[in-house]
Amino acid sequence: MANSQQQRHIRLGLFVQPVGQHVSGWRLTEKLGDPTNIDWLITIAKKAEAGKFDLFFVGDALATSMYRLPSTMARLEPLTMLSALAVNTKRIGLAATASTTFSDPFTMARSFSSLDHISRGRAAWNVVTSFSTDVARNFSRNDMPNHAERYARAREFLEVANKLWAGWEEGAVQPNKETGAYFVDEKIQPINHEGEHFQVQGPLNITRSPQGRPVIIEAGSSADGQKLAAETAEVIFTAADSLEAAQTFYRSQKDQVIAAGRNPDHVVIMPGVMPIVGRTREEAKALWKELNTLVDIENGLRQLSLRFSMDLSQFPLDGPVPEVPLGEGNQSRVKLMTDMAKRENLTLRELAAVAAGSRGHRVIVGTAEDIADDFELWIKEGGADGFNIMPAIMSEQLDLFVELVIPELRRRGLFREDYEFTTLRENLGLPVA
């Protein structure tokens, strides 16, 4: 377990888009990255590790038509990519998104356990459910299971994966040259799971991983998503555009964790944030303005339409954002963006620009001191345990964050000087599974 001082430190994840998180970021970089160039991705991972980030996190999309962005149109399969990063880094956690909607728990459990072995205990799985019909069509279906069905499957999927990981006990491998026995059979157990969605015999055909099991990350903020996270997640990614909204979510989620019989200190909540870092405020504001002047509104409108599960091109761009019922799509992000539109009286055009630019996450524009002030306030006021950092321009904004913001956080005693442990669980202050 981490000591009490470390537990007060801000947790930092790097949410990686190889060409930058802002939709226009790639147009302003001096050295354009390639989403399929492993050398580029290794370079980014090493920069993050030099900054002592907890996590290097990559999302995933299973359909090229979802957002029509460089990193979603062409990308490496996350687990394959992270395996390459694992042998080129030493301490940073390696997290990947993988969907339970069109996957199999035996294969998924084996893959993440393999990554945990290759990285010597640094693997994490961001558990998601798929919601796009374009994804369904890539998996021989014309429709998507409804919201409740997707979460019911996800819950059982995680149950099976955890049983498989637990099927190998400590000490199951004890090679004995004299007897010829390599394994202790009673320490390797089948799971014989019989459920509504899965029937899995087990055991898993890979030994117990260094962390016991990978760290589980979830990001759903719908009622179903929060309940599942309270029962199963160890890190929660979320999106909140104000401290008040973040505090409400934080209290609600931690209360649900307690109600589920778990320790709330063993669930780390990390809102996504896009810091626009400048050496002066004027420099940061000028960069933010330049990024937004390059936004393709049609692209933003497509993103909103996919998020909202309705065609928004039929509405006037300079009119109000239409009422959008919470349906089968990404409910949490829909609510965040519609609440923002109402609160700030945004037109559809303005919301489309925000959606394209920040992808629905909070933006902080300023100096290292401004960003550190913001982070410190959110931590002290119970809005977060840490943040998932989304550099707008890769790698310039990551470089500035490591060069300027992290030293300022350290000066305030808010961030580690170095990694204290070898596994991701220990560095996050989580118990060994």
Side-chain angles (χ1 to χ4, degrees):
M1 272 293 291
N3 61 37
S4 59
Q5 175 61 35
Q6 191 208 27
Q7 290 204 25
R8 289 196 293 271
H9 286 170
I10 291 175
R11 309 302 181 191
L12 290 180
L14 178 66
F15 188 173
V16 178
Q17 291 286 359
V19 296
Q21 284 283 353
H22 194 284
V23 70
S24 304
W26 65 273
R27 299 175 68 180
L28 296 180
T29 183
E30 293 183 4
K31 185 178 180 181
L32 181 60
D34 178 350
T36 58
N37 183 333
I38 193 62
D39 292 329
W40 174 249
L41 291 158
I42 290 169
T43 297
I44 295 171
K46 287 184 173 181
K47 288 176 185 285
E49 188 167 61
K52 314 305 177 186
F53 276 76
D54 291 276
L55 281 171
F56 178 105
F57 165 61
V58 288
D60 197 20
L62 298 174
T64 60
S65 53
M66 285 187 72
Y67 301 121
R68 309 296 292 181
L69 300 172
S71 293
T72 57
M73 290 293 290
R75 64 167 74 202
L76 297 176
E77 189 281 317
L79 284 166
T80 307
M81 182 248 284
L82 291 182
S83 295
L85 299 188
V87 297
N88 284 279
T89 56
K90 298 295 184 183
R91 296 293 187 87
I92 192 168
L94 302 170
T97 291
S99 174
T100 61
T101 307
F102 297 110
S103 304
D104 180 87
F106 188 94
T107 303
M108 194 73 74
R110 184 188 187 199
S111 295
F112 273 99
S113 187
S114 296
L115 177 62
D116 208 46
H117 277 284
I118 294 167
S119 65
R120 295 180 172 85
R122 295 182 285 134
W125 172 19
N126 179 40
V127 181
V128 302
T129 67
S130 301
F131 61 88
S132 167
T133 54
D134 289 314
V135 173
R137 294 186 186 107
N138 285 339
F139 289 87
S140 305
R141 288 190 57 154
N142 290 321
D143 61 345
M144 183 65 68
N146 66 41
H147 187 87
E149 290 172 347
R150 295 200 308 273
Y151 272 91
R153 177 185 169 92
R155 179 172 279 100
E156 188 179 342
F157 195 112
L158 273 167
E159 179 186 352
V160 174
N162 281 318
K163 286 179 179 178
L164 288 166
W165 287 323
W168 284 76
E169 299 177 16
E170 289 280 4
V173 180
Q174 295 186 26
N176 188 321
K177 292 183 179 180
E178 292 183 4
T179 65
Y182 194 90
F183 301 107
V184 180
D185 290 343
E186 58 266 28
K187 290 182 178 289
I188 309 168
Q189 298 297 327
I191 66 171
N192 297 319
H193 177 89
E194 295 286 339
E196 181 181 353
H197 299 92
F198 305 107
Q199 295 78 46
V200 182
Q201 174 183 282
L204 201 61
N205 57 346
I206 186 169
T207 59
R208 182 180 177 85
S209 71
Q211 296 185 105
R213 60 177 170 80
V215 172
I216 299 298
I217 304 171
E218 291 170 36
S221 295
S222 66
D224 287 332
Q226 286 193 53
K227 187 174 188 298
L228 181 64
E231 296 169 354
T232 61
E234 295 162 298
V235 176
I236 296 175
F237 292 158
T238 185
D241 61 346
S242 70
L243 176 57
E244 293 74 20
Q247 289 170 320
T248 299
F249 176 84
Y250 188 94
R251 288 192 297 266
S252 171
Q253 189 66 77
K254 295 279 186 170
D255 286 346
Q256 290 187 62
V257 169
I258 294 170
R262 301 176 62 208
N263 186 340
D265 292 336
H266 295 163
V267 177
V268 180
I269 296 178
M270 300 173 64
V273 61
M274 181 183 288
I276 307 298
V277 188
R279 296 184 185 277
T280 65
R281 288 181 186 171
E282 292 71 26
E283 180 182 292
K285 289 177 180 178
L287 176 59
W288 181 235
K289 182 177 180 180
E290 186 175 9
L291 282 164
N292 287 333
T293 60
L294 297 174
V295 167
D296 178 355
I297 294 300
E298 289 187 5
N299 180 290
L301 203 60
R302 282 197 299 270
Q303 288 194 46
L304 281 182
S305 296
L306 285 163
R307 291 281 187 193
F308 291 2
S309 297
M310 63 185 293
D311 181 10
L312 296 176
S313 64
Q314 60 186 305
F315 299 97
L317 268 175
D318 294 309
V321 176
E323 290 291 330
V324 182
L326 290 180
E328 297 300 334
N330 191 338
Q331 294 186 4
S332 58
R333 198 58 56 79
V334 170
K335 187 175 187 307
L336 184 146
M337 288 190 286
T338 53
D339 286 351
M340 180 194 306
K342 290 176 182 176
R343 184 176 61 253
E344 300 180 17
N345 197 29
L346 300 180
T347 65
L348 181 57
R349 182 190 300 276
E350 290 167 332
L351 187 62
V354 171
S358 68
R359 308 190 193 196
H361 286 276
R362 190 167 66 100
V363 178
I364 311 172
V365 182
T367 63
E369 291 77 11
D370 295 328
I371 293 164
D373 284 344
D374 181 280
F375 284 7
E376 186 170 13
L377 177 65
W378 277 52
I379 296 296
K380 288 184 174 179
E381 295 299 321
D385 296 311
F387 302 93
N388 213 15
I389 305 303
M390 307 166 65
I393 304 173
M394 194 64 83
S395 66
E396 288 88 338
Q397 280 290 297
L398 172 60
D399 293 341
L400 283 174
F401 190 91
V402 171
E403 177 189 349
L404 302 176
V405 179
I406 285 180
E408 179 61 24
L409 292 173
R410 285 179 177 147
R411 188 183 68 78
R412 302 178 188 209
L414 294 171
F415 193 64
R416 64 163 64 92
E417 293 290 337
D418 201 352
Y419 297 105
E420 293 189 17
F421 303 99
T422 58
T423 71
L424 175 58
R425 284 189 172 279
E426 291 174 300
N427 282 320
L428 287 174
L430 300 173
V432 175

